[in-house]
Amino acid sequence: MSGGDMAKPLLGHQSMEGDPSITPAAGRTIGVLGSGDFARSLAIRLVCSGFKVVVGSRNPKRKAGLFPSAAEVTFQAEAVKKTDVIFVAVFREHYSTLCDLADVLAGKILVDVSNNTEINHHKESNAEYLASLFPACTVVKGFNVVSAWTLQSGARDGNKQVLICSNNQEAKRTVAEIAQVMGFTPVDMGCMSSACEIENIPLRLLPAWKIPIFLALGLFLCFFTYNLVRQVIHPYIREQKNKFYKIPVEVVNTTLPCVAYVMLSLVYLPGVLAACSQLYYGTKYRRFPDWLDQWLQHRKQIGLLSFFCAALHAVYSLCLPMRRSHRYQLIETAVKQAVEKKMNIWVEEEVWRMEIYISVGIIALGLLSLLAITSLPSIANSLNWREFSFIQFTLGFIALVISTLHTLTYGWSRAFDENQYKFYLPPTYTLTLLVPCTVILAKVVFSLPCIQQRLLRIRRGWEKGRYVKFVLPSATGEYSSGETSSNV
């Protein structure tokens, strides 16, 4: 993001909840033009909120049965005459059919709830187009980010935000009043020029997840290809063994923990880089590079994807003994032992390694579950900042350390076995240790008192090279001023 983009707030809004100028509006008559799913859901919610609803339809007799009995269904012209606030619940291409009502609509407040099928499909927003067709009306954009299902769900979804914009402050206040009575939180998005941004919001598919998802997929493909070469291609070329059956389960199960482990370390790596930047420049007021700023903003999504991969790894691991190939291998091993007359094959070192490996893995998954749960807004909002930071940063770092122990116990002494280097490629887990160990080492260095205190001073506002004025008494008893650098 450029400097200009960062200067502009992501959502330049102002919550209107609790505004003393907003007064209860239940009991007033509200008009709805349209008879589609959204119009019906809107009418139901308005009636349940205590409003009198008049629905305007071109065929009222046919549509009357679709609306609640408390709502009056009549012709459009009659509906418009009975109210001053009208929800226009029709598609943009049908706006022109309302032009015959221009004289009756003059002076009314029109609430445009429409959306487009594509982002920036038209040069102007739907609300601006509606305003151009009816210049004598006051148009307010709102309720387009609320689905018909949310409207019908009632108070259970009462915490949903309703984004509102208009060039008329009084009209916005009226619509905000209606939204608040309906159980929503009205948010003032400014003038009508914001309508295009509001209409694009429902069309965006997980905008904050695109980069993390592509990152996870990229890591998965890299590690999957690497494991495929080592576990399948190598025995096929060197030993003429067909092990392609490992691809659906074993290769995937070997890949998932690698992705989860690296993704978890990538949650805390940008914090390390940010701390290094602050220590180097001696200030917290210098902007981070755009790539680092974006990285910091996506840590939550990266962490949740890490937990998702770790959970899949746990399920895949539990399913390993269920495979037919695993049963054949057990029987084959038992037959070989019987032929060779081996009565005791207990290996103490391997037993302890697997016991520790599984135990540490369970603890790591439990901590990741806690991090994922506290990332949910409903849970995070119930925690104060100290509690949230303790779970996300302190326990999160502990989860990274335990995951490292989980990886090390899996490797044990295998890293020094030359048979593990297929095609001279090191085992996969040795590659995954690079980034996490770097983060852990950096955290240890930052915990040193000399560095920790300097970093704490910087984050409290201290700057390197900043001059501060001071006053000293002279020999004659008078005071003289001077200045010194704050980093002396």
Side-chain angles (χ1 to χ4, degrees):
M1 298 176 68
S2 62
D5 292 333
M6 288 301 298
K8 180 182 178 181
L10 184 61
L11 281 179
H13 65 264
Q14 179 182 0
S15 177
M16 303 177 71
E17 186 178 16
D19 191 338
S21 61
I22 298 179
T23 57
R28 71 186 302 171
T29 302
I30 305 296
V32 178
L33 294 180
S35 55
D37 293 338
F38 191 87
R40 294 196 295 269
S41 300
L42 183 61
I44 293 173
R45 186 65 176 265
L46 286 169
V47 169
C48 293
S49 300
F51 292 98
K52 297 178 182 178
V53 179
V54 181
V55 180
S57 174
R58 288 176 292 181
N59 193 344
K61 292 183 178 180
R62 182 180 178 184
K63 303 294 184 180
L66 302 175
F67 290 86
S69 57
E72 179 185 354
V73 183
T74 182
F75 290 99
Q76 293 179 341
E78 295 181 10
V80 170
K81 293 177 182 178
K82 295 182 179 181
T83 180
D84 294 329
V85 180
I86 304 164
F87 284 83
V88 182
V90 298
F91 294 108
R92 176 188 175 115
E93 53 267 24
H94 297 155
Y95 286 171
S96 57
T97 62
L98 304 176
C99 291
D100 294 338
L101 306 174
D103 295 336
V104 187
L105 288 171
K108 310 283 186 178
I109 297 176
L110 303 182
V111 183
D112 176 44
V113 300
S114 64
N115 282 312
N116 294 314
T117 55
E118 299 177 9
I119 295 179
N120 298 325
H121 185 62
H122 303 282
K123 293 182 179 179
E124 60 182 353
S125 65
N126 294 348
E128 291 172 319
Y129 175 63
L130 182 64
S132 67
L133 293 178
F134 302 97
C137 300
T138 302
V139 177
V140 178
K141 186 69 186 184
F143 287 87
N144 67 299
V145 298
V146 181
S147 66
W149 170 257
T150 300
L151 288 169
Q152 291 189 22
S153 297
R156 288 175 294 174
D157 287 330
N159 61 341
K160 297 290 186 179
Q161 290 185 339
V162 172
L163 309 183
I164 300 172
C165 73
S166 176
N167 292 332
N168 188 295
Q169 191 67 28
E170 187 63 30
K172 280 195 297 185
R173 187 176 292 108
T174 301
V175 177
E177 172 188 338
I178 296 171
Q180 201 169 54
V181 174
M182 293 171 67
F184 294 100
T185 302
V187 179
D188 188 352
M189 296 290 291
C191 59
M192 188 58 71
S193 58
S194 302
C196 186
E197 177 186 358
I198 297 176
E199 291 175 3
N200 287 336
I201 290 176
L203 300 177
R204 296 191 179 106
L205 179 62
L206 303 174
W209 287 84
K210 289 184 179 179
I211 295 178
I213 288 176
F214 282 123
L215 175 63
L217 288 176
L219 288 173
F220 182 86
L221 290 176
C222 291
F223 283 118
F224 182 84
T225 304
Y226 192 87
N227 290 324
L228 180 67
V229 172
R230 285 177 41 83
Q231 299 181 27
V232 178
I233 304 300
H234 179 270
Y236 183 77
I237 294 178
R238 292 294 178 86
E239 304 172 8
Q240 286 74 47
K241 292 183 178 180
N242 185 353
K243 294 190 177 182
F244 287 91
Y245 67 89
K246 291 186 174 183
I247 294 178
V249 179
E250 281 196 48
V251 177
V252 173
N253 189 45
T254 308
T255 303
L256 286 172
C258 299
V259 178
Y261 187 35
V262 174
M263 292 283 283
L264 179 61
S265 63
L266 293 179
V267 173
Y268 299 97
L269 181 58
V272 170
L273 298 178
C276 292
S277 175
Q278 292 175 340
L279 288 171
Y280 179 78
Y281 293 106
T283 179
K284 70 172 184 178
Y285 300 107
R286 182 184 177 91
R287 280 183 49 80
F288 296 131
D290 292 339
W291 59 268
L292 181 56
D293 188 70
Q294 288 284 337
W295 194 350
L296 290 167
Q297 293 180 26
H298 288 98
R299 288 181 295 178
K300 173 182 175 180
Q301 290 77 17
I302 295 175
L304 289 174
L305 288 174
S306 172
F307 167 71
F308 175 71
C309 293
L312 286 181
H313 169 56
V315 175
Y316 268 90
S317 299
L318 291 174
C319 294
L320 288 177
M322 300 170 57
R323 298 171 304 143
R324 180 73 63 179
S325 59
H326 181 75
R327 298 177 186 177
Y328 286 153
Q329 289 173 350
L330 286 178
I331 296 174
E332 183 181 3
T333 303
V335 171
K336 287 182 178 180
Q337 293 171 3
V339 171
E340 297 175 0
K341 297 182 179 181
K342 289 184 178 180
M343 302 302 296
N344 186 7
I345 60 170
W346 183 278
V347 180
E348 190 75 16
E349 180 183 355
E350 283 295 311
V351 171
W352 275 103
R353 182 181 72 84
M354 289 303 298
E355 296 293 321
I356 297 174
Y357 166 71
I358 295 175
S359 177
V360 174
I362 294 174
I363 296 174
L365 182 61
L367 289 175
L368 285 177
S369 303
L370 181 62
L371 295 175
I373 292 173
T374 53
S375 296
L376 301 176
S378 57
I379 304 299
N381 292 338
S382 65
L383 304 173
N384 60 39
W385 171 245
R386 186 174 183 181
E387 294 169 341
F388 181 79
S389 61
F390 172 77
I391 295 175
Q392 292 294 323
F393 297 102
T394 305
L395 292 185
F397 179 70
I398 293 175
L400 181 62
V401 174
I402 293 179
S403 299
T404 303
L405 294 177
H406 179 66
T407 306
L408 291 175
T409 52
Y410 175 80
W412 204 261
S413 59
R414 295 182 181 182
F416 308 101
D417 184 3
E418 62 180 10
N419 294 325
Q420 296 295 323
Y421 290 79
K422 312 290 181 63
F423 288 136
Y424 302 101
L425 297 176
T428 313
Y429 61 86
T430 60
L431 300 179
T432 61
L433 286 168
L434 296 177
V435 179
C437 289
T438 301
V439 174
I440 294 174
L441 180 61
K443 289 284 188 179
V444 172
V445 173
F446 289 154
S447 64
L448 298 177
C450 56
I451 298 179
Q452 186 180 35
Q453 292 177 6
R454 182 180 177 86
L455 186 59
L456 183 61
R457 290 175 60 196
I458 291 174
R459 290 177 174 175
R460 288 181 175 177
W462 178 87
E463 293 183 84
K464 181 175 67 175
R466 183 182 63 181
Y467 286 88
V468 296
K469 293 184 178 180
F470 64 91
V471 180
L472 293 176
S474 63
T476 59
E478 299 179 353
Y479 288 88
S480 61
S481 62
E483 60 181 19
T484 184
S485 173
S486 64
N487 62 342
V488 175

